[in-house]
Amino acid sequence: MTKRSTTALMAALVAGALLAAAPIPSAGAAGSGSGGTLPGIDLDTVTIPELQARMADGSLTSSALTRAYLRRIKAVDPKVNAVLHTDPTALRQAAASDARHRRGRARGPLDGIPVLLKDNVNTRDIPTTAGSLALAGSPPRTDAALVTRLREAGAVILGKTNLSEWANFRSTKPTSGWSAVGGQTRNPYVLDRNPCGSSAGSAAAIAASLAQVAIGTETDGSIVCPAGMNGVAGHKPSLGLVSGEGVVPISAEQDTAGPMARHVVDAALTLGVLSGGVTAHPALPAALLDTGLRGKRIGLWRLPSLGPEVDAVMTRTAAGLRAAGAEVVEVALPYQQRLAELEFPALLSEFHRDIDAYLATRGGPRDLAALIEFNRTHPAERTCFAGQELFEQALAAPPTTDPAYRAMRAELKSLSRRSIDETMAAHRLDAIAAPTNPPAWTTDCARGDNDVIPSSTPAAVAGYPSLSVPAGFVNELPVGLLLMAGDRQDARLLSLGAAVEHRLNARRSPRYLPTTTPTTPTTGPGGSR
């Protein structure tokens, strides 16, 4: 991956077609709703390049943008419950960015852009809890490495988002989007429906236009499922592209942080900062996005188990991609049953190792055994669901030095990579596509989640990149299209995803409906991590 100076990056932004496009559309009721409006800017549709163009010519300040988002959080978030904390220094950060812009010393495309962080990403000045009261006592001593990168790039850290407690790795019957610290996050499209997890608050906040960008984390599905279910773009980077230092872990073999945004271009620019390089052209000319699909070969993995309504969305999506010149071929990924058998036992061993190492750096319980005891003695940790079966199983799991564990992880890595590599080679594909999610199920603490969603697993276990973009709706509920490709193909995947996003044009603003016509849920245990 080639690194560029911030000067070169800003030059690319200024030269990009998005900066030469028509003026930013006026704020409308559908886009900005109540609170948080800016004259001539629709927070729901504006992109980072457009905002930077305004800041460069002096017609917009980061301070005004940050105030607009803070007002919008105050006005809209009570419906959604996505934001745990706002950073009291946000306006000071914005003022410093404005001073840099006035001097012509902007640090890059994220300078002055408000960003929300999932509350399992360490911040030295505001709490980091992973949704658990066990970590609510005091903030970490230092920022996560990715937060340092964001600050160095001039981003405004706007605050923290709610999440599924412990990133959905506590109970066998969790309720995604619930934590003891934050309560239940709701899906902005239909408020009694689930936002998926574990990056529930990050996705819901972006869907509700409460920040320009949010950071999520994923072990298997926790960026892409919430992105799909909340109608936004979410990118799970190649493993190791973004530092995991200072992020509450599940497994170093699969964990990664990544960007969530309303536009793929914003996700690409954010990933460039998070990874220390530029991973996709920062301003894709809108006129070329359709031709960007011409001749591309995309393998469609339908997953009919997600139901006929989702399959109908995939049929319409395939037709749209073909109309733009892409070749879409039907594929089936091998080895999926074996991956399902092996992944969970491996994660148990890795979680015990990695959470013990993290807890040793924080105040509160110092290891997994102490964390289990904390939950037993704090009733507030059991107000939605009581179980901590995954904690207990992890405590009893074989150590990662065990030869059987090592063989299991080696087989997982081999089969997951082969499932993607062999399929792409056999069909000469540029990417594999699949449905990201079923329609959102009704949130129910007693029942737990209804989400067996296999599409995220191959790329998550392989450490390969995946990207969800909006594909359509079922009864007011968003469905995403998941794109995946080979290792370190993030730039190509984001470029392809931008073209797909432009062609499908499937995103629309949430209406915060109290309920909707029931859909048949996808039944099964578990939750995205």
Side-chain angles (χ1 to χ4, degrees), residues 230-261:
N230 292 273
V232 300
H235 179 59
K236 185 203 80 71
S238 294
L239 186 67
L241 196 60
V242 178
S243 173
E245 180 187 348
V247 179
V248 182
I250 291 176
S251 164
E253 278 71 21
Q254 292 183 206
D255 291 352
T256 183
M260 309 177 83

Side-chain angles (χ1 to χ4, degrees), residues 406-455:
R406 290 180 174 178
M408 186 162 43
R409 176 48 73 180
E411 186 177 357
L412 273 167
K413 183 175 181 179
S414 173
L415 291 183
S416 59
R417 293 190 167 204
R418 286 173 59 191
S419 73
I420 295 173
D421 295 345
E422 291 173 6
T423 302
M424 292 188 69
H427 298 277
R428 297 176 287 109
L429 301 177
D430 294 285
I432 297 168
T436 308
N437 61 285
W441 52 88
T442 305
T443 297
D444 185 336
C445 284
R447 183 200 64 222
D449 286 341
N450 278 347
D451 69 330
V452 171
I453 307 170
S455 56

Side-chain angles (χ1 to χ4, degrees), residues 78-100:
K79 300 176 186 176
V80 180
N81 196 38
V83 179
L84 283 176
H85 311 282
T86 54
D87 190 330
T89 72
L91 288 173
R92 291 203 296 274
Q93 297 174 56
S97 174
D98 292 336
R100 290 191 294 272

